[in-house]
């Protein structure tokens, strides 16, 4: 795992939408098809949902992924994390999520997410302290809650 790569986040602009659609196909098609038939229209809707919260992940000048975090007064929802396969396994997703954990701990808010059961990201979420709060046929609904020691920061 490389932790010395430089990553940055920037707001999504209109010209990023084709990249985001391609990223979704590349990173999520097989996982989604393990549960549902693929629909370009449904996946475009997912890309466009809460776009104002979306950030393009860049690594050393190249756009490599998407981070979408929707915050409210009661929780932080980790909506989407997608990283191109060539950049997976380098600790980039872990670093980004750890930053969100730090922010959640300082604001005393839980983090929620839902993930398809066949998504290998489940092991990362578990390693970072997320636990299953409920589940259904296709999804695990997971939550991370700040511990007392996190709240002392």
């Amino acid at each position: 795992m490389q932790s010395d790569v430089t990553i940055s986040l920037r707001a999504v602009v209109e010209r990023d939408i084709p990249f985001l659609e391609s990223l979704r196909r590349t990173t999520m098609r097989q996982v989604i098809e393990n549960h549902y038939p693929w629909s370009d229209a449904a996946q475009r809707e997912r890309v466009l949902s809460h776009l104002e919260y979306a950030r393009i992940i860049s690594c050393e000048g190249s756009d490599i992924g998407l981070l979408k975090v929707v915050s409210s007064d009661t929780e932080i929802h980790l909506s989407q994390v997608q990283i191109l396969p060539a950049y997976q396994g380098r600790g980039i997703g872990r670093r980004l999520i750890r930053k969100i954990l730090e922010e959640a701990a300082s604001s005393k808010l839980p983090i929620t997410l839902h993930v398809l059961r066949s998504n290998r990201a489940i092991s990362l979420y578990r390693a970072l302290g997320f636990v299953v709060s409920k589940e259904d046929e296709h999804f695990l609904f997971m939550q991370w809650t700040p511990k007392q020691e996190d709240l002392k920061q």
Side-chain angles (χ1 to χ4, degrees):
M1 170 178 12
Q2 280 182 310
S3 61
D4 58 342
V5 294
T6 302
I7 55 174
S8 60
L9 300 174
R10 66 170 176 79
V12 170
V13 294
E14 185 76 24
R15 72 176 178 273
D16 292 319
I17 292 174
F19 166 72
L20 294 174
E21 290 176 317
S22 173
L23 176 69
R24 184 128 183 107
R25 266 190 308 280
T26 300
T27 60
M28 295 299 298
R29 186 170 192 140
Q30 185 58 57
V31 174
I32 289 167
E33 287 182 338
N34 288 337
H35 301 271
Y36 307 103
W38 180 267
S39 161
D40 285 333
Q43 296 312 311
R44 178 174 173 78
E45 191 174 308
R46 179 82 167 127
V47 165
L48 298 176
S49 173
H50 297 294
L51 201 57
E52 67 274 20
Y53 296 101
R55 298 294 175 263
I56 297 290
I57 305 167
S58 296
C59 179
E60 300 176 345
S62 297
D63 294 343
I64 63 151
L66 167 71
L67 177 67
K68 195 182 289 185
V69 180
V70 180
S71 296
S72 73
D73 292 339
T74 59
E75 71 176 19
I76 297 169
H77 183 70
L78 183 54
S79 178
Q80 293 177 317
V81 181
Q82 296 161 5
I83 298 174
L84 288 171
Y87 292 87
Q88 293 175 7
R90 297 184 184 193
I92 295 168
R94 180 180 297 268
R95 282 173 51 194
L96 291 168
I97 295 169
R98 280 186 195 263
K99 180 86 169 126
I100 297 164
L101 295 175
E102 290 171 14
E103 293 167 8
S106 67
S107 62
K108 301 177 175 101
L109 291 174
I111 302 172
T112 60
L113 62 86
H114 61 276
V115 58
L116 286 164
R117 287 178 170 275
S118 65
N119 191 326
R120 63 189 180 105
I122 292 169
S123 61
L124 171 62
Y125 299 139
R126 286 181 196 236
L128 290 171
F130 285 83
V131 296
V132 175
S133 57
K134 72 177 188 178
E135 54 189 284
D136 67 21
E137 180 183 354
H138 299 288
F139 287 97
L140 296 180
F141 297 84
M142 302 182 82
Q143 182 168 320
W144 178 90
T145 305
K147 296 177 188 80
Q148 226 27 48
E149 57 269 24
D150 296 329
L151 301 178
K152 294 177 184 172
Q153 298 178 355

